[in-house]
Amino acid sequence: MKYKTYHVVTFGCQMNERDSETLAGFMEELGYSYEPDKIVAQVVILNTCSVRENADKKFFGVLGQLKHSHEENREKLVIVCGCMMQQQHIIDTLKQKYPWVDLVFGTHNIGDFPKLFKNVSEMHERIIDVWENSDTIAEGLPAKRMYDFKAYVNIMQGCNNFCAYCIVPYTRGRERSRKPAEILKEINCLAQSGCKEITLLGQNVNSYKGEEGGIENFAQLLREIDKIDGIERIRFMTSHPKDLSDELIDCFKDLKHLCHCFHLPVQSGSNAVLKAMNRHYDREQYLGRVAKLKEVCPDIAITTDIIVGFPGETEEDFKDTLDLVKQVRYDSAFTFLYSIREGTPAASWTNQIPEEIKHERFNRLIEVIHEIQEEEMKQFQDKIIPVLIEGTSKTDKSMLTGRTESLKTVDLPGDTSLVGKIVPVKIVKAQTFSLYGELVND
Ligand code: 5AD
Ligand code: SF4
């Protein structure tokens, strides 16, 4: 085993990816270096997600894989953290079935990682330290960023919405916003070190609360970020439709660097289901917001999240979802089978939908989504569009891969010296899920 190496496994969303950058930053500060193989690494950190059952299952699968190497090497440390750890039933399972895990902590005390790590390395005794909530966000934590040219920037933590299916308000706690000055300082720093693209993260960025008399809300924060020299692309996620203000929509008209794409989770197209989900908007209001976005910014690419088979969803409700999808014509959509999350209101309802019906609806939904997506993608054929080159293609190492403003993947031939640059690309082939292009020399 190599000495002083670490590996972080990240499950789940961009928030977790960002937290893993902080954990990697701490490990580097402690003098550890990254090891790509989790079996070989001396310290393994599993940063967990709990949003659907699949994520739980994947975590226990990886944990099982680590047992043997942990037994073989007494010096190996296995650390688990993140959303799953905020749930008592998970802690109970870990205590009973995985007593060899060395350190367990939650989403609220990530800032204490160096102290916890020191204690567990010195004592060689298991530590479980999970806080129920917190009202602040730790500032000034290190980060080992995954890329130089693009970065996630957290602007807030937690969620106050309590959608009936969702575990996040229980695992991430109440909504807290970072101070505007801290956010701007971080982005200025990133820009100075060559970062071109920023994705602002929060469970519901539309309810960002700044400072009275200063930058008060999310739209105002965007306007300030737009002025930062060097930042060429600004993205954000996620937005709750109920809080999508006209002031934010106007940003798409006024700001130079705001990408013309919007992730606006609808979850369902049925008013009865939206009400049961506790979403606080109906389909008419949602469609109204979409119409306004398209009016202000005609080329905006709208994407969404949809849950299929929420308790009580009828065939009629589901048809309303299909109908809404056809009206909005999403650029792409993340589709999920409803998954029971222990501790959420909908988990205990008796009107659960049988698995086969959920799957059947899911397949019908993705068919409609893909049809629309294929048509939308064809519009790129022969167009010249700016692409941020991110690296070499996963499927063909001789090709480069990059992203358009609306996050579509483009593969093209070219030299790796272009990585991190935004270049004009002519699209020569447009398929449902990807685009192929050629560099345009200007
Ligand atoms: N079952 C299925 N999908 C869910 N999501 C959140 N909770 C659940 C659940 N219990 C989906 C929502 C959300 C996305 C991040 O995950 O669509 O927007
Ligand atoms: Fe979950 Fe709803 Fe909060 Fe999104 S807004 S994190 S779906 S509770």
Side-chain angles (χ1 to χ4, degrees), residues 41-67:
Q42 190 190 347
V43 177
V44 183
I45 307 172
L46 306 185
N47 187 9
T48 65
C49 164
S50 215
V51 77
R52 287 172 294 276
E53 195 188 357
N54 243 347
D56 286 15
K57 282 191 187 150
K58 277 193 208 152
F59 161 67
F60 284 117
V62 174
L63 201 51
Q65 287 168 18
L66 292 171
K67 188 172 186 226

PDB file of all heavy atoms in Angstrom, residues 41-67:
ATOM      1  N   ALA A  41      -5.954   3.017  -2.050  1.00  0.00           N
ATOM      2  CA  ALA A  41      -5.784   4.235  -1.235  1.00  0.00           C
ATOM      3  C   ALA A  41      -5.802   3.926   0.262  1.00  0.00           C
ATOM      4  O   ALA A  41      -6.554   3.063   0.716  1.00  0.00           O
ATOM      5  CB  ALA A  41      -6.884   5.232  -1.570  1.00  0.00           C
ATOM      6  N   GLN A  42      -5.005   4.672   0.988  1.00  0.00           N
ATOM      7  CA  GLN A  42      -4.936   4.455   2.436  1.00  0.00           C
ATOM      8  C   GLN A  42      -6.170   5.022   3.150  1.00  0.00           C
ATOM      9  O   GLN A  42      -6.647   4.465   4.126  1.00  0.00           O
ATOM     10  CB  GLN A  42      -3.667   5.125   2.975  1.00  0.00           C
ATOM     11  CG  GLN A  42      -3.385   4.759   4.417  1.00  0.00           C
ATOM     12  CD  GLN A  42      -2.277   5.610   4.994  1.00  0.00           C
ATOM     13  OE1 GLN A  42      -1.565   6.302   4.269  1.00  0.00           O
ATOM     14  NE2 GLN A  42      -2.121   5.559   6.292  1.00  0.00           N
ATOM     15  N   VAL A  43      -6.669   6.142   2.628  1.00  0.00           N
ATOM     16  CA  VAL A  43      -7.888   6.734   3.195  1.00  0.00           C
ATOM     17  C   VAL A  43      -8.948   6.803   2.093  1.00  0.00           C
ATOM     18  O   VAL A  43      -8.683   7.318   1.015  1.00  0.00           O
ATOM     19  CB  VAL A  43      -7.614   8.169   3.718  1.00  0.00           C
ATOM     20  CG1 VAL A  43      -8.888   8.805   4.242  1.00  0.00           C
ATOM     21  CG2 VAL A  43      -6.525   8.158   4.779  1.00  0.00           C
ATOM     22  N   VAL A  44     -10.118   6.237   2.370  1.00  0.00           N
ATOM     23  CA  VAL A  44     -11.211   6.322   1.397  1.00  0.00           C
ATOM     24  C   VAL A  44     -12.381   7.041   2.041  1.00  0.00           C
ATOM     25  O   VAL A  44     -12.797   6.700   3.151  1.00  0.00           O
ATOM     26  CB  VAL A  44     -11.686   4.916   0.941  1.00  0.00           C
ATOM     27  CG1 VAL A  44     -12.771   5.041  -0.122  1.00  0.00           C
ATOM     28  CG2 VAL A  44     -10.537   4.110   0.405  1.00  0.00           C
ATOM     29  N   ILE A  45     -12.870   8.071   1.339  1.00  0.00           N
ATOM     30  CA  ILE A  45     -14.025   8.822   1.849  1.00  0.00           C
ATOM     31  C   ILE A  45     -15.194   8.574   0.896  1.00  0.00           C
ATOM     32  O   ILE A  45     -15.066   8.783  -0.310  1.00  0.00           O
ATOM     33  CB  ILE A  45     -13.726  10.339   1.917  1.00  0.00           C
ATOM     34  CG1 ILE A  45     -12.445  10.598   2.713  1.00  0.00           C
ATOM     35  CG2 ILE A  45     -14.902  11.086   2.523  1.00  0.00           C
ATOM     36  CD1 ILE A  45     -11.967  12.048   2.680  1.00  0.00           C
ATOM     37  N   LEU A  46     -16.338   8.119   1.435  1.00  0.00           N
ATOM     38  CA  LEU A  46     -17.527   7.936   0.616  1.00  0.00           C
ATOM     39  C   LEU A  46     -18.510   9.049   0.964  1.00  0.00           C
ATOM     40  O   LEU A  46     -19.000   9.124   2.096  1.00  0.00           O
ATOM     41  CB  LEU A  46     -18.174   6.569   0.882  1.00  0.00           C
ATOM     42  CG  LEU A  46     -17.291   5.314   0.736  1.00  0.00           C
ATOM     43  CD1 LEU A  46     -18.130   4.052   0.913  1.00  0.00           C
ATOM     44  CD2 LEU A  46     -16.599   5.274  -0.610  1.00  0.00           C
ATOM     45  N   ASN A  47     -18.763   9.927  -0.005  1.00  0.00           N
ATOM     46  CA  ASN A  47     -19.668  11.058   0.199  1.00  0.00           C
ATOM     47  C   ASN A  47     -21.026  10.677  -0.388  1.00  0.00           C
ATOM     48  O   ASN A  47     -21.196  10.625  -1.598  1.00  0.00           O
ATOM     49  CB  ASN A  47     -19.066  12.296  -0.481  1.00  0.00           C
ATOM     50  CG  ASN A  47     -19.845  13.544  -0.175  1.00  0.00           C
ATOM     51  OD1 ASN A  47     -20.739  13.541   0.682  1.00  0.00           O
ATOM     52  ND2 ASN A  47     -19.521  14.620  -0.860  1.00  0.00           N
ATOM     53  N   THR A  48     -21.995  10.407   0.476  1.00  0.00           N
ATOM     54  CA  THR A  48     -23.223   9.713   0.054  1.00  0.00           C
ATOM     55  C   THR A  48     -24.374  10.646  -0.334  1.00  0.00           C
ATOM     56  O   THR A  48     -24.408  11.815   0.051  1.00  0.00           O
ATOM     57  CB  THR A  48     -23.722   8.812   1.194  1.00  0.00           C
ATOM     58  OG1 THR A  48     -24.105   9.655   2.299  1.00  0.00           O
ATOM     59  CG2 THR A  48     -22.664   7.821   1.627  1.00  0.00           C
ATOM     60  N   CYS A  49     -25.328  10.034  -1.049  1.00  0.00           N
ATOM     61  CA  CYS A  49     -26.548  10.721  -1.493  1.00  0.00           C
ATOM     62  C   CYS A  49     -27.733   9.864  -1.081  1.00  0.00           C
ATOM     63  O   CYS A  49     -27.640   8.648  -1.022  1.00  0.00           O
ATOM     64  CB  CYS A  49     -26.517  10.838  -3.011  1.00  0.00           C
ATOM     65  SG  CYS A  49     -28.108  11.224  -3.767  1.00  0.00           S
ATOM     66  N   SER A  50     -28.867  10.528  -0.828  1.00  0.00           N
ATOM     67  CA  SER A  50     -30.016   9.773  -0.345  1.00  0.00           C
ATOM     68  C   SER A  50     -31.273  10.064  -1.131  1.00  0.00           C
ATOM     69  O   SER A  50     -32.354   9.676  -0.727  1.00  0.00           O
ATOM     70  CB  SER A  50     -30.240  10.156   1.112  1.00  0.00           C
ATOM     71  OG  SER A  50     -30.681   9.047   1.802  1.00  0.00           O
ATOM     72  N   VAL A  51     -31.135  10.749  -2.262  1.00  0.00           N
ATOM     73  CA  VAL A  51     -32.333  11.296  -2.913  1.00  0.00           C
ATOM     74  C   VAL A  51     -33.257  10.199  -3.458  1.00  0.00           C
ATOM     75  O   VAL A  51     -34.465  10.321  -3.402  1.00  0.00           O
ATOM     76  CB  VAL A  51     -31.956  12.362  -3.972  1.00  0.00           C
ATOM     77  CG1 VAL A  51     -31.439  11.777  -5.255  1.00  0.00           C
ATOM     78  CG2 VAL A  51     -33.124  13.281  -4.242  1.00  0.00           C
ATOM     79  N   ARG A  52     -32.663   9.087  -3.914  1.00  0.00           N
ATOM     80  CA  ARG A  52     -33.468   7.935  -4.337  1.00  0.00           C
ATOM     81  C   ARG A  52     -32.842   6.653  -3.799  1.00  0.00           C
ATOM     82  O   ARG A  52     -31.665   6.626  -3.452  1.00  0.00           O
ATOM     83  CB  ARG A  52     -33.564   7.884  -5.867  1.00  0.00           C
ATOM     84  CG  ARG A  52     -34.467   8.956  -6.439  1.00  0.00           C
ATOM     85  CD  ARG A  52     -34.392   9.007  -7.948  1.00  0.00           C
ATOM     86  NE  ARG A  52     -33.085   9.435  -8.391  1.00  0.00           N
ATOM     87  CZ  ARG A  52     -32.683  10.703  -8.494  1.00  0.00           C
ATOM     88  NH1 ARG A  52     -33.510  11.674  -8.207  1.00  0.00           N
ATOM     89  NH2 ARG A  52     -31.473  11.007  -8.887  1.00  0.00           N
ATOM     90  N   GLU A  53     -33.646   5.577  -3.794  1.00  0.00           N
ATOM     91  CA  GLU A  53     -33.199   4.322  -3.195  1.00  0.00           C
ATOM     92  C   GLU A  53     -31.931   3.785  -3.868  1.00  0.00           C
ATOM     93  O   GLU A  53     -31.063   3.211  -3.217  1.00  0.00           O
ATOM     94  CB  GLU A  53     -34.321   3.297  -3.308  1.00  0.00           C
ATOM     95  CG  GLU A  53     -34.115   2.095  -2.420  1.00  0.00           C
ATOM     96  CD  GLU A  53     -35.142   1.013  -2.698  1.00  0.00           C
ATOM     97  OE1 GLU A  53     -36.039   1.240  -3.543  1.00  0.00           O
ATOM     98  OE2 GLU A  53     -35.016  -0.054  -2.100  1.00  0.00           O
ATOM     99  N   ASN A  54     -31.843   3.992  -5.178  1.00  0.00           N
ATOM    100  CA  ASN A  54     -30.689   3.514  -5.938  1.00  0.00           C
ATOM    101  C   ASN A  54     -29.364   4.009  -5.382  1.00  0.00           C
ATOM    102  O   ASN A  54     -28.381   3.278  -5.348  1.00  0.00           O
ATOM    103  CB  ASN A  54     -30.809   4.025  -7.373  1.00  0.00           C
ATOM    104  CG  ASN A  54     -30.931   2.863  -8.312  1.00  0.00           C
ATOM    105  OD1 ASN A  54     -30.684   1.728  -7.913  1.00  0.00           O
ATOM    106  ND2 ASN A  54     -31.301   3.132  -9.544  1.00  0.00           N
ATOM    107  N   ALA A  55     -29.356   5.283  -4.942  1.00  0.00           N
ATOM    108  CA  ALA A  55     -28.128   5.876  -4.406  1.00  0.00           C
ATOM    109  C   ALA A  55     -27.733   5.152  -3.123  1.00  0.00           C
ATOM    110  O   ALA A  55     -26.550   4.872  -2.890  1.00  0.00           O
ATOM    111  CB  ALA A  55     -28.342   7.364  -4.154  1.00  0.00           C
ATOM    112  N   ASP A  56     -28.726   4.824  -2.276  1.00  0.00           N
ATOM    113  CA  ASP A  56     -28.453   4.076  -1.036  1.00  0.00           C
ATOM    114  C   ASP A  56     -27.814   2.738  -1.388  1.00  0.00           C
ATOM    115  O   ASP A  56     -26.824   2.326  -0.792  1.00  0.00           O
ATOM    116  CB  ASP A  56     -29.761   3.768  -0.284  1.00  0.00           C
ATOM    117  CG  ASP A  56     -30.349   4.986   0.408  1.00  0.00           C
ATOM    118  OD1 ASP A  56     -29.929   6.100   0.088  1.00  0.00           O
ATOM    119  OD2 ASP A  56     -31.235   4.802   1.269  1.00  0.00           O
ATOM    120  N   LYS A  57     -28.417   2.061  -2.362  1.00  0.00           N
ATOM    121  CA  LYS A  57     -27.939   0.718  -2.740  1.00  0.00           C
ATOM    122  C   LYS A  57     -26.510   0.770  -3.252  1.00  0.00           C
ATOM    123  O   LYS A  57     -25.685  -0.080  -2.929  1.00  0.00           O
ATOM    124  CB  LYS A  57     -28.846   0.125  -3.831  1.00  0.00           C
ATOM    125  CG  LYS A  57     -30.150  -0.409  -3.299  1.00  0.00           C
ATOM    126  CD  LYS A  57     -30.836  -1.207  -4.398  1.00  0.00           C
ATOM    127  CE  LYS A  57     -32.226  -1.633  -3.990  1.00  0.00           C
ATOM    128  NZ  LYS A  57     -33.121  -1.742  -5.138  1.00  0.00           N
ATOM    129  N   LYS A  58     -26.226   1.780  -4.084  1.00  0.00           N
ATOM    130  CA  LYS A  58     -24.869   1.914  -4.647  1.00  0.00           C
ATOM    131  C   LYS A  58     -23.855   2.105  -3.525  1.00  0.00           C
ATOM    132  O   LYS A  58     -22.774   1.532  -3.553  1.00  0.00           O
ATOM    133  CB  LYS A  58     -24.809   3.125  -5.598  1.00  0.00           C
ATOM    134  CG  LYS A  58     -25.298   2.811  -6.980  1.00  0.00           C
ATOM    135  CD  LYS A  58     -24.901   3.969  -7.898  1.00  0.00           C
ATOM    136  CE  LYS A  58     -25.869   4.095  -9.045  1.00  0.00           C
ATOM    137  NZ  LYS A  58     -25.971   5.451  -9.556  1.00  0.00           N
ATOM    138  N   PHE A  59     -24.211   2.908  -2.533  1.00  0.00           N
ATOM    139  CA  PHE A  59     -23.296   3.167  -1.413  1.00  0.00           C
ATOM    140  C   PHE A  59     -22.963   1.864  -0.682  1.00  0.00           C
ATOM    141  O   PHE A  59     -21.792   1.549  -0.449  1.00  0.00           O
ATOM    142  CB  PHE A  59     -23.917   4.185  -0.451  1.00  0.00           C
ATOM    143  CG  PHE A  59     -23.287   4.178   0.920  1.00  0.00           C
ATOM    144  CD1 PHE A  59     -21.963   4.587   1.100  1.00  0.00           C
ATOM    145  CD2 PHE A  59     -24.013   3.754   2.036  1.00  0.00           C
ATOM    146  CE1 PHE A  59     -21.369   4.572   2.368  1.00  0.00           C
ATOM    147  CE2 PHE A  59     -23.424   3.732   3.298  1.00  0.00           C
ATOM    148  CZ  PHE A  59     -22.107   4.139   3.465  1.00  0.00           C
ATOM    149  N   PHE A  60     -24.005   1.073  -0.352  1.00  0.00           N
ATOM    150  CA  PHE A  60     -23.731  -0.163   0.381  1.00  0.00           C
ATOM    151  C   PHE A  60     -22.925  -1.145  -0.478  1.00  0.00           C
ATOM    152  O   PHE A  60     -22.110  -1.903   0.036  1.00  0.00           O
ATOM    153  CB  PHE A  60     -25.034  -0.782   0.897  1.00  0.00           C
ATOM    154  CG  PHE A  60     -25.573  -0.056   2.109  1.00  0.00           C
ATOM    155  CD1 PHE A  60     -26.810   0.588   2.067  1.00  0.00           C
ATOM    156  CD2 PHE A  60     -24.828   0.015   3.287  1.00  0.00           C
ATOM    157  CE1 PHE A  60     -27.287   1.280   3.179  1.00  0.00           C
ATOM    158  CE2 PHE A  60     -25.307   0.706   4.404  1.00  0.00           C
ATOM    159  CZ  PHE A  60     -26.536   1.339   4.345  1.00  0.00           C
ATOM    160  N   GLY A  61     -23.122  -1.098  -1.790  1.00  0.00           N
ATOM    161  CA  GLY A  61     -22.339  -1.938  -2.710  1.00  0.00           C
ATOM    162  C   GLY A  61     -20.849  -1.586  -2.625  1.00  0.00           C
ATOM    163  O   GLY A  61     -19.997  -2.462  -2.467  1.00  0.00           O
ATOM    164  N   VAL A  62     -20.544  -0.293  -2.698  1.00  0.00           N
ATOM    165  CA  VAL A  62     -19.136   0.146  -2.661  1.00  0.00           C
ATOM    166  C   VAL A  62     -18.535  -0.149  -1.283  1.00  0.00           C
ATOM    167  O   VAL A  62     -17.394  -0.606  -1.173  1.00  0.00           O
ATOM    168  CB  VAL A  62     -19.012   1.652  -3.019  1.00  0.00           C
ATOM    169  CG1 VAL A  62     -17.581   2.138  -2.828  1.00  0.00           C
ATOM    170  CG2 VAL A  62     -19.469   1.893  -4.445  1.00  0.00           C
ATOM    171  N   LEU A  63     -19.319   0.073  -0.247  1.00  0.00           N
ATOM    172  CA  LEU A  63     -18.827  -0.198   1.111  1.00  0.00           C
ATOM    173  C   LEU A  63     -18.437  -1.675   1.238  1.00  0.00           C
ATOM    174  O   LEU A  63     -17.382  -2.010   1.791  1.00  0.00           O
ATOM    175  CB  LEU A  63     -19.930   0.159   2.119  1.00  0.00           C
ATOM    176  CG  LEU A  63     -19.508   0.432   3.555  1.00  0.00           C
ATOM    177  CD1 LEU A  63     -18.383   1.448   3.628  1.00  0.00           C
ATOM    178  CD2 LEU A  63     -20.700   0.912   4.376  1.00  0.00           C
ATOM    179  N   GLY A  64     -19.285  -2.541   0.677  1.00  0.00           N
ATOM    180  CA  GLY A  64     -18.993  -3.982   0.689  1.00  0.00           C
ATOM    181  C   GLY A  64     -17.670  -4.288   0.002  1.00  0.00           C
ATOM    182  O   GLY A  64     -16.869  -5.101   0.486  1.00  0.00           O
ATOM    183  N   GLN A  65     -17.405  -3.595  -1.122  1.00  0.00           N
ATOM    184  CA  GLN A  65     -16.146  -3.828  -1.869  1.00  0.00           C
ATOM    185  C   GLN A  65     -14.919  -3.451  -1.033  1.00  0.00           C
ATOM    186  O   GLN A  65     -13.835  -3.973  -1.245  1.00  0.00           O
ATOM    187  CB  GLN A  65     -16.100  -2.958  -3.129  1.00  0.00           C
ATOM    188  CG  GLN A  65     -17.016  -3.383  -4.248  1.00  0.00           C
ATOM    189  CD  GLN A  65     -17.093  -2.277  -5.312  1.00  0.00           C
ATOM    190  OE1 GLN A  65     -16.258  -1.383  -5.391  1.00  0.00           O
ATOM    191  NE2 GLN A  65     -18.120  -2.347  -6.130  1.00  0.00           N
ATOM    192  N   LEU A  66     -15.093  -2.522  -0.098  1.00  0.00           N
ATOM    193  CA  LEU A  66     -13.934  -2.032   0.661  1.00  0.00           C
ATOM    194  C   LEU A  66     -13.597  -2.904   1.872  1.00  0.00           C
ATOM    195  O   LEU A  66     -12.506  -2.805   2.431  1.00  0.00           O
ATOM    196  CB  LEU A  66     -14.192  -0.595   1.143  1.00  0.00           C
ATOM    197  CG  LEU A  66     -14.245   0.465   0.055  1.00  0.00           C
ATOM    198  CD1 LEU A  66     -14.729   1.785   0.633  1.00  0.00           C
ATOM    199  CD2 LEU A  66     -12.858   0.658  -0.577  1.00  0.00           C
ATOM    200  N   LYS A  67     -14.532  -3.776   2.259  1.00  0.00           N
ATOM    201  CA  LYS A  67     -14.363  -4.531   3.506  1.00  0.00           C
ATOM    202  C   LYS A  67     -13.061  -5.333   3.502  1.00  0.00           C
ATOM    203  O   LYS A  67     -12.281  -5.300   4.465  1.00  0.00           O
ATOM    204  CB  LYS A  67     -15.565  -5.460   3.701  1.00  0.00           C
ATOM    205  CG  LYS A  67     -15.539  -6.124   5.052  1.00  0.00           C
ATOM    206  CD  LYS A  67     -16.812  -6.891   5.328  1.00  0.00           C
ATOM    207  CE  LYS A  67     -16.756  -7.406   6.751  1.00  0.00           C
ATOM    208  NZ  LYS A  67     -17.137  -8.745   6.921  1.00  0.00           N
TER     209      LYS A  67
END
